[in-house]
Amino acid sequence: MRFTLSSRAIAILLALLVASVLTTFAWIGPTLSFREACLGAGITVAACFLLVYLSFEALIFREVNNIYAGLEHVKRKEFRRLSNKFLFRPEPLKRIRDEILDMAVRKQEEIDELKRLQVLRREFLADVSHELKTPIFAAQGFVHTILDDDEMDELTRRKFLRKAADSLDALDALVQDLVTISQLEKGVVRMRRQRFDVAQLIQDIFEQLELKAKQRRVHLHLEPATLPANGMWVLADRNRIRQVLINLIDNAIKYGREDGHVTVTLHQAPKNVRIEVHDDGSGIAKEHQSRIFERFYRIDKSRSRDSGGSGLGLAISKHIVEAHKSTIKVRSESGQGTTLEFKLPKPKQDVAVEAPAAAVPLPG
């Protein structure tokens, strides 16, 4: 059983020991010769020093080490493991000061992050409220107009009902996007990986977006100009990657330069395929590049709303790509356009053996 004394008891005991040493020296000092007295004084000083040091060790350092042991417990709660051999090292007051400052810095960083997240949450609530109100008020206005006007002709009535239906369809699309991004963030959505030709998928998307590109006189290109005869195969969820590419290419068409070019480039590596979507628009400023994947974030809010879209496309694309163990990167310079890129893995058989194939030109 370990015997421990309180700090007060240790202080009293040390005081008695110091008093005893001094009393003994004072008692026998007059009977000693000069040399013996000097030796006795030295022994007394040494004994008092040891007793005073022990008093500091027992009364101060022990208490400080108890506090430090509490800090060690806090760190273990934070899943930080430190060696106990450093627990009773010299200068515990300096170490505990450093530890307190280090903890204060970490806590301040956590507070700053919480404040940032709170700002983002307020912005998100304001944005989603605005996005929901717009189609709701539009549909509500058309429906109430029809209800209040009994003499409205059939053609006008059907026109207003169609506009109300379009507003409700936009509302449904927004809600579906919110549900999708929520499921992606929670990891509920599972990627159904399959082997498919990404070059052919891009050609299909070009055909789907051809009308929108013509409206802005934007030319769509797939590079390189020639591809392997057996295609460029990747292993991914085809429908989800299709969603990502539609978002990226559609954004490039909308925000690129009129009479410009949107180029999708495929770079083949031994284990993956890098996909780049480039437009020759005005580019994205540096301060916006880190935020374009946030929900509802728009660089030019008025222009973006006029162009349509929920503001969730890039956020959804980011989560889909991350679910494929990759990341979307953005490269942009003012006046030089914007490039978004990500990588997809190749099927194992393609990685193991890449049979040479004759290059064939892409269809017009």
Side-chain angles (χ1 to χ4, degrees), residues 69-282:
L71 289 176
E72 290 290 313
H73 178 69
V74 172
K75 287 181 179 179
R76 285 194 294 272
K77 290 294 184 181
E78 296 177 352
F79 307 104
R80 290 186 59 186
R81 304 172 71 92
L82 295 179
S83 174
N84 290 329
K85 68 181 180 180
F86 297 111
L87 186 59
F88 293 97
R89 74 175 195 176
E91 299 182 348
L93 289 176
K94 181 180 182 298
R95 188 179 182 197
I96 196 170
R97 174 183 175 275
D98 294 340
E99 290 295 331
I100 290 173
L101 290 176
D102 182 55
M103 290 183 66
V105 169
R106 293 200 307 274
K107 294 302 178 185
Q108 186 60 48
E109 290 174 352
E110 292 176 4
I111 291 171
D112 293 340
E113 179 65 14
L114 288 174
K115 289 180 178 179
R116 188 185 71 85
L117 293 175
Q118 186 178 20
V119 171
L120 292 178
R121 182 179 64 85
R122 285 199 299 264
E123 291 178 355
F124 171 72
L125 290 175
D127 287 336
V128 76
S129 299
H130 178 85
E131 298 293 342
L132 289 172
K133 283 192 301 183
T134 302
I136 290 174
F137 285 173
Q140 187 180 41
F142 291 127
V143 171
H144 279 291
T145 301
I146 294 171
L147 292 175
D148 294 340
D149 190 354
D150 296 331
E151 298 180 358
M152 182 179 294
D153 61 273
E154 185 63 23
L155 182 61
T156 304
R157 185 187 299 271
R158 291 183 62 85
K159 179 182 177 181
F160 279 20
L161 285 174
R162 172 53 55 192
K163 290 183 177 180
D166 290 342
S167 296
L168 292 175
D169 288 342
L171 178 62
D172 179 68
L174 174 60
V175 172
Q176 290 299 325
D177 283 347
L178 287 171
V179 171
T180 299
I181 198 170
S182 176
Q183 291 175 339
L184 287 168
E185 288 177 343
K186 292 178 181 178
V188 176
V189 178
R190 300 298 178 187
M191 298 295 117
R192 295 183 175 88
R193 288 175 172 81
Q194 58 183 333
R195 186 174 178 270
F196 66 92
D197 183 359
V198 68
Q200 184 59 52
L201 175 62
I202 293 169
Q203 288 289 351
D204 295 342
I205 294 172
F206 279 179
E207 293 178 5
Q208 179 181 341
L209 299 176
E210 183 179 4
L211 179 60
K212 182 175 290 188
K214 283 183 177 180
Q215 290 173 349
R216 303 195 77 241
R217 299 180 297 281
V218 172
H219 303 279
L220 304 177
H221 304 278
L222 176 59
E223 293 185 356
T226 57
L227 290 170
N230 59 349
M232 196 171 289
W233 298 83
V234 296
L235 183 65
D237 188 319
R238 189 179 189 277
N239 290 331
R240 293 295 180 181
I241 295 302
R242 177 187 181 88
Q243 185 178 2
V244 171
L245 289 171
I246 287 176
N247 282 329
L248 299 185
I249 297 171
D250 182 64
N251 280 348
I253 293 172
K254 286 191 296 187
Y255 304 125
R257 179 171 56 87
E258 288 193 22
D259 293 309
H261 299 267
V262 171
T263 304
V264 180
T265 307
L266 300 177
H267 299 274
Q268 192 164 199
K271 294 185 178 180
N272 56 60
V273 175
R274 188 172 84 250
I275 304 170
E276 295 182 355
V277 179
H278 175 77
D279 66 71
D280 51 5
S282 59

